[in-house]
Amino acid sequence: MTLYLDIGNTWIKYQLERPGLAPQQGRVESLNDIDEPVDKLVFASVRTKQATRALLSCFLARGVPCYEAYVSSSAELSCDYDTPATLGIDRWLAALAAQQRFGDCIVADAGTALTVDWVSGGRYRGGVIVQGLQQSVNNLLSGTHLVGEVSFDSLPCVPTNTAHAVGLGAMAQAEGLIDGLRVRWQTDAPLVLTGGDAPNLIRFMDGRAEYCPNLVIEGLKKASLREVK
Ligand SMILES: Nc1ncnc2c1ncn2[C@@H]1O[C@H](COP(=O)(O)OP(=O)(O)OP(=O)(O)O)[C@@H](O)[C@H]1O
Ligand SMILES: CC(C)(CO)[C@@H](O)C(=O)NCCC(=O)O
Ligand SMILES: [K+]
């Protein structure tokens, strides 16, 4: 069985490809939570080399072949980043998968960080990195004396309580960022959303985006890979 891992800033998203069965997928904090037999591992990690190695050590010690995705221009998608090796692999893989599905597009990955990237004409053009929705709310709450629940559900147009004021603020900030970049980049390419907070954002943006839950893992399946020993 092949185990695909998207090792993010906070969570590890996985997909286990099982012959003759539907793939099993989920989100875990630690790999100890995956106890199926694995004979090949394919991963992308935004964590340090040391932290990633430590995480994979149980597989490496058992001799499971481990392959890491890296940024590599191809005929389908070339990379405009100044130094492609420093582009977050999650951004590259999401762009690769989104381009395959939608062609030219804007890809937003709403996780611990929020990244908004632009793919056009077979090129990964670049994009921005800001704090994610939850992170932005947490920073606000920790830097002020605000208290109370924050809600991302059933947000009204004009908030009349604190939970909605903070919730709508975070959503509208993300929406405004994406709309602003669209103007700057002069593109009306479709918006593709992924990441843990994408379901909240997609509801907020009603119909103005495509939701793809596992873009990074999809990208892993078409990425250039190198073996990690
Ligand atoms: N069941 C869940 N458990 C944890 N976080 C969740 C869950 N559902 C949605 N979220 C949201 O997902 C966000 C985390 O995003 P994601 O799962 O994409 O990965 P990450 O590894 O933390 O971040 P990144 O993709 O930036 O590396 C959190 O801010 C949280 O608000
Ligand atoms: C921006 C994050 C943190 C988003 O997960 C990740 O893609 C990353 O660590 N990137 C490296 C820096 C860059 O993309 O320029
Ligand atoms: K992300």
Side-chain angles (χ1 to χ4, degrees), residues 8-149:
N9 298 288
T10 314
W11 293 89
I12 302 170
K13 279 74 69 178
Y14 73 91
Q15 189 179 98
L16 196 58
E17 238 173 35
R18 307 172 296 176
L21 291 167
Q24 180 191 327
Q25 51 196 26
R27 146 211 304 269
V28 288
E29 262 175 303
S30 137
L31 292 180
N32 298 330
D33 301 339
I34 302 172
D35 51 9
E36 302 280 337
V38 171
D39 45 43
K40 182 181 165 189
L41 194 149
V42 179
F43 73 95
S45 175
V46 297
R47 301 189 191 174
T48 63
K49 235 188 168 99
Q50 298 93 302
T52 305
R53 271 202 84 80
L55 207 63
L56 300 180
S57 58
C58 54
F59 293 98
L60 290 164
R62 291 205 309 265
V64 175
C66 294
Y67 298 90
E68 174 182 31
Y70 64 97
V71 178
S72 157
S73 290
S74 70
E76 278 158 63
L77 189 64
S78 65
C79 184
D80 283 7
Y81 225 52
D82 293 347
T83 50
T86 65
L87 170 63
I89 187 65
D90 52 348
R91 301 172 67 190
W92 174 253
L93 296 178
L96 203 60
Q99 186 218 24
Q100 161 139 23
R101 284 221 216 172
F102 304 99
D104 290 0
C105 59
I106 292 176
V107 192
D109 187 343
T112 307
L114 168 64
T115 52
V116 185
D117 291 291
W118 184 26
V119 175
S120 90
R123 287 161 61 198
Y124 167 87
R125 305 284 294 260
V128 305
I129 306 167
V130 298
Q131 61 189 346
L133 296 174
Q134 196 60 54
Q135 198 72 21
S136 134
V137 166
N138 293 348
N139 286 348
L140 176 66
L141 296 184
S142 68
T144 61
H145 297 274
L146 274 172
V147 284
E149 292 287 296

